[in-house]
């Protein structure tokens, strides 16, 4: 039986190549994580801009906010209905962003359970349903389709 002798230099080169390969894998994982965080930051920036625009109507008008949150739409005048639509758009945008963050793995399951309950409560507000079905992106729309539909009952 012939034994193959491998020199010490060859072992060192092999270990060096394994080290370089491990480093490349680590760099790839870091780049992926950085991309995920950048996507989340971009989504947050868009959501913040939309939220600021949606809530500007309520600045210094706490009574308007209270009225549109506690009154039926039929009981509101045209301006108040516009304010209610802004508030509903704000709620939708926040929930869609939270869903995106959860899909990226940036929200833990405990946080998501609370958010999911709020999404279901909004989904159960049947008059908000057109907003959800009109504006939902594909992933969020697919998620909404899995929710219990209490409006058809």
């Amino acid at each position: 039986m012939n034994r193959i002798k491998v020199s010490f230099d060859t072992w060192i080169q092999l270990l060096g190549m394994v080290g370089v390969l491990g480093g490349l894998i680590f760099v790839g994982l870091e780049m992926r994580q950085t991309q995920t965080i950048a996507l989340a930051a971009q989504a947050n920036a868009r959501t913040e801009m939309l939220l600021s625009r949606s809530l500007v109507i309520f600045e210094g008008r706490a009574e308007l906010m209270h009225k549109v949150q506690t009154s039926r739409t039929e009981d509101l005048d045209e301006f108040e209905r516009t304010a209610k639509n802004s508030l509903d758009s704000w709620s939708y945008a926040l929930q869609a962003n939270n869903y995106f963050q959860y899909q990226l793995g940036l929200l833990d399951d405990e946080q998501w359970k609370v958010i999911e309950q709020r999404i279901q409560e909004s989904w159960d507000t049947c008059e908000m349903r057109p907003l959800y079905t009109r504006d939902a992106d594909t992933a969020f729309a697919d998620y909404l389709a899995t929710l219990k539909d209490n409006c058809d009952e």
Side-chain angles (χ1 to χ4, degrees), residues 37-49 93 97 100-101 104:
I37 291 169
L39 286 172
Q42 182 184 34
N44 269 346
R46 282 193 313 270
T47 301
E48 283 179 29
M49 182 181 63
N97 184 57
F100 182 69
Q101 300 289 330
L104 289 176

Side-chain angles (χ1 to χ4, degrees), residues 73-93:
T73 304
E74 308 84 56
D75 299 335
L76 301 174
D77 65 29
E78 186 177 344
F79 177 74
E80 292 165 341
R81 279 194 298 276
T82 300
K84 181 170 180 44
N85 287 338
S86 290
L87 189 61
D88 291 347
S89 293
W90 171 83
S91 178
Y92 165 81

Side-chain angles (χ1 to χ4, degrees), residues 23-142:
L24 288 174
I25 291 171
F26 178 75
V27 166
L29 291 172
E30 286 293 316
M31 288 176 65
R32 184 175 177 192
Q33 182 182 26
T34 300
Q35 180 188 16
T36 300
I37 291 169
L39 286 172
Q42 182 184 34
N44 269 346
R46 282 193 313 270
T47 301
E48 283 179 29
M49 182 181 63
L50 179 62
L51 298 179
S52 294
R53 188 182 75 196
S54 296
L55 294 179
V56 74
I57 198 169
F58 296 105
E59 285 186 9
R61 303 174 100 177
E63 74 287 342
L64 176 63
M65 173 80 81
H66 177 72
K67 184 172 184 180
V68 300
Q69 285 182 316
T70 58
S71 300
R72 296 179 334 168
T73 304
E74 308 84 56
D75 299 335
L76 301 174
D77 65 29
E78 186 177 344
F79 177 74
E80 292 165 341
R81 279 194 298 276
T82 300
K84 181 170 180 44
N85 287 338
S86 290
L87 189 61
D88 291 347
S89 293
W90 171 83
S91 178
Y92 165 81
L94 189 59
Q95 291 170 357
N97 184 57
N98 285 335
Y99 177 76
F100 182 69
Q101 300 289 330
Y102 179 69
Q103 291 302 108
L104 289 176
L106 300 174
L107 293 175
D108 63 31
D109 288 334
E110 187 175 321
Q111 291 171 313
W112 176 245
K113 285 179 186 176
V114 173
I115 293 166
E116 193 171 36
Q117 182 179 359
R118 289 184 184 145
I119 292 172
Q120 182 68 55
E121 289 169 4
S122 295
W123 186 246
D124 289 344
T125 305
C126 302
E127 63 186 32
M128 276 186 68
R129 191 66 61 89
L131 173 71
Y132 279 82
T133 55
R134 180 187 72 226
D135 292 341
D137 66 35
T138 305
F140 192 51
D142 291 344

